[in-house]
Amino acid sequence: MSEPRPTAPAEPDEPAFAVVADADAPIDLSALDGLEGAARLDALLDLLTPYVTRAPEQQLALGEEALALAERHGDTRARARALSLVGRGHLLLSEYDRALPHLTEAMVLLEREGDPEARRAKGMLASLHHTIGNYEEAMRLALDNLEDARREGEPEEVGWHLHGLSGAYFELGDTERALDYAMQALDRFTALGHPVGQARSHSSVGTVLSAQGRHDEAQGHHEVSLQLFQQAGDRLGESRALYDLGRAAHARGDIERALEVQQEALALRRHLNHPQSQSTSLLALGEALLAAGRTDEALATLHEALDIAEALRLRPRLFQVHRALSDAYDAAGDPERALHHYRRYHDVRGSVLDAQTAGRLQTMQVRHDVERARQEAEIERLRGVELREKNEQLQRLLDELRRAQDRLVQSEKLASLGRVTSGIAHELKNPLNFVVNFAGLNAEIADDLRAAVRARRDDLPDDLAAELDDGLATFADNVARVLANARRADGILRSMLGHVRATEGERRRVSLHALLDQAIANVFGEHEGDPATIVERTYDREVGEVEAAPGSLGRVFFNLLENARYAVCCYADASGGDYRPRIEVRTRALPGLVQVRVVDNGPGVPEDHCTRLFEPFFTTKPPGEGTGLGLSLASDIVTQGHGGSLAVHSREGEGATFVVTLPVEEAPGEAQGEG
C-alpha cells in the first residue's frame, strides 16, 4: 500500500487585527452599568469595536443588543456598525451562512456613510470568502482594502491584508506569489513589533515553504510561530502553530511526532470550541493515522472532519477530506467507497477551482479486475464532462466575439447616422436663422405699432383703438412664441452638432481639480448657488493633471453639475423646509485611472431610467425644459474623446451619483520621481 500523500490544507486565520492575552476570559461589561438608550448604544459600540477573538457568544449577544438599539433609535451609522459586530460574532462561531449577509450589508452601509470601519468589515468579509472557498472574491476585497490602507497610512492593516493575500494565492496554487506576500507581511509586522502578526506571518511562510519541499526551512518558521503565539497568550494561534508543526513532521516522514502534535492541537481546539479549525486538525490527524497503518481510526477521524465541513459548508475542506477518505477506503480494500469519495472530491474541487485547467484525474489502484474496469469507465466519463465544459467555454468565447462584432457594426451605423445628422443639422441652420431673425424683427415691429397706437389713441374711435390693441397684443404674443420655439430648435441643432464634434479639441495636460472648480463656479456663481444648497469638494491630493481637451471635458462637468443643481432645487421645492439640498464633488486616484463623482441628495433616478439616461433625446425633465442630449453628449466626450467611462448609480428617493472614470498617463519624468 502506498502512503497517502498529505493534502497540506491551508489553515485560514480568523480575521484578527488584535488579540487579548486571556482568550477565554469574558468581556468586562462594567462600562455599561446604569446606561440606557442612546448612551448604552454608544458604549456598546465603543466596547466591541476593537477586534478581539475571545468570548464569541458574548460578542454576538452584545452585537445583537446594539443592533436592536440602533434600529429603535433610527441611527443608520450605528446600525451599520452593529451589523458588522453581529457578523463578526457569527464568523468567530463559524456560522458562515449567518455571517455573510450581516457583513455584506455592513460593508455597503459603512462605505456609503464614509465610515473607516468599512475597511474592517471588508477585511472580515474577505476572510469569510477565503474560508468558504470564494478565493477570487476574497482577493478582490483584500486588494481593495490593501490599497485603502496604504493610502490612509495604516501599516498594521496593510500587514493583515498582505497576510490574507498570501493565503488566497496559496489556495490557488501560486506558491511564489503567496511566499512574496507572506514575506512582505512578516517584514511589516517585524518593523511594527507586532508579535501576533509576526506569528501568523511565520506560519504562512512555513506553510508555503513546506509546499515547495523546503521542509527544514519551514520547520524553523513554525517553531518561531509557536513561541510567539504562546508569549502573546493567543491559544487559537498556538493551536495553529501546533497543527503546522504536525504537518511539517508528516512531510518529513516522522509520523509518530505528527500524531502527537496533531492530537495536542485538536485537544486545544476542542477546548476553544472552534469547529472550523477542528475540521482541519481532524483531517491532518486522519492522514497521519492512515500513514501509520491505523486505517479504522483514520476512517472514523476523517468522517468526523467531513461532518463538520459539511455542517459549516467549508468547500475547500470538503474536497480535501473526500480525497483523504478515498485513499483510506482504498487502503481498507473497499474500492466502491473509495470511488464514491473520489467522485465527490472531483465534484467539490471543481466548484472551488477551475476544473478545466486544474482538474487532473488520477487512476485509483483497485484489487479486483471488475472494479478496475468500472472505475476506468467512470474516469472516462469525467474526462468527457471536462471536455464538454471546455467546449462550453469556447462557445461562450465565440458568442462574446459575435457580440463584439455586432457592437462594431452598431458603432459604424451610429457613425454613419452621426454624419447624416450633421448634414441635416447644417442644412436646417440657415432657414432656422431666417425664422429667428425675422421673428425678432416682427417682434420689434409689433412693439412699434403698439407704441404708435398708444400715441394716436385720442385720434381714433374707441372701438377701433380697442380692436387694434387686441390684435397687436395677439400678434406680439404669437411672435414671441415663434421666437422662443425657434431658439429652442436652434439649441437642439447645436446639441446635435455637438455630438458630432464631441471628440474634437486639442488635448493637453490640465489640472482636473482646476476644471472642476471652474465648472462649479460656472454653475453656481461666486457664492456657489442658492444659500440653501450645500456644495462640497472632497478632492484626493494624489489626483493631478490629466491628458484632456479642456473645453470638452469642462462641458461634461458643467452638464453633470447643472443636472444635479436642477434635481436638488426641484426636490427642495417639493419637499418643504426640512430638506437641505447638498451636492458633493469627489475625486479619487486609482492605479492608472482617476475618478470623479458628482453626488446629490435629490430624488434619485428610477431604476428603469438609469439604463436610458445616456440615450440621445431621452430626458426626465418636463416638456420644454430639456433636450435629452446633454448626458448623451457627455457620454460621447468621455468615452470616445477621452477613452474613459461615464456611469450612474441611483435608487429612487436616495439621490444619484454620476461617475466619470478617465485613464491617466504619467507625465515625462514622473515615473523616475517615485521611490
Side-chain angles (χ1 to χ4, degrees), residues 2 130 173 198 214 222 225 235 397 408 508 525 622 664:
S2 60
H130 179 216
Q198 292 177 66
R214 299 156 66 179
H222 292 321
S225 175
R235 303 194 69 193
L397 291 174
L408 182 61
R508 58 184 173 85
V664 177

Side-chain angles (χ1 to χ4, degrees), residues 146-190:
L146 179 61
E147 176 192 329
D148 289 342
R150 280 175 168 161
R151 184 173 56 252
E152 298 296 330
E154 299 288 349
E156 184 178 329
E157 287 193 31
V158 169
W160 287 119
H161 300 320
L162 290 168
H163 172 69
L165 285 167
S166 171
Y169 277 112
F170 180 80
E171 294 285 7
L172 291 171
D174 190 344
T175 58
E176 291 299 327
R177 196 169 293 183
L179 184 59
D180 177 57
Y181 276 111
M183 292 300 297
Q184 288 187 53
L186 180 57
D187 291 342
R188 177 78 57 168
F189 286 125
T190 301

Side-chain angles (χ1 to χ4, degrees), residues 194-234:
H194 195 299
V196 172
Q198 292 177 66
R200 296 190 185 280
S201 299
H202 275 295
S203 175
S204 294
V205 171
T207 298
V208 180
L209 290 173
S210 183
Q212 294 179 343
R214 299 156 66 179
H215 302 304
D216 291 340
E217 296 175 70
Q219 174 80 12
H221 282 283
H222 292 321
E223 289 175 351
V224 173
S225 175
L226 177 61
Q227 293 173 4
L228 289 169
F229 277 130
Q230 288 174 337
Q231 291 170 6
D234 185 345

Side-chain angles (χ1 to χ4, degrees), residues 383-400:
R383 284 177 175 162
V385 170
E386 184 174 347
L387 181 60
R388 185 171 66 253
E389 290 174 349
K390 288 182 177 180
N391 289 336
E392 290 173 355
Q393 182 184 34
L394 289 174
Q395 184 62 48
R396 288 194 296 271
L397 291 174
L398 181 60
D399 292 342
E400 179 59 32

Side-chain angles (χ1 to χ4, degrees), residues 398-409:
L398 181 60
D399 292 342
E400 179 59 32
L401 177 60
R402 287 171 178 165
R403 286 193 292 270
Q405 290 174 333
D406 292 342
R407 289 195 294 269
L408 182 61
V409 171

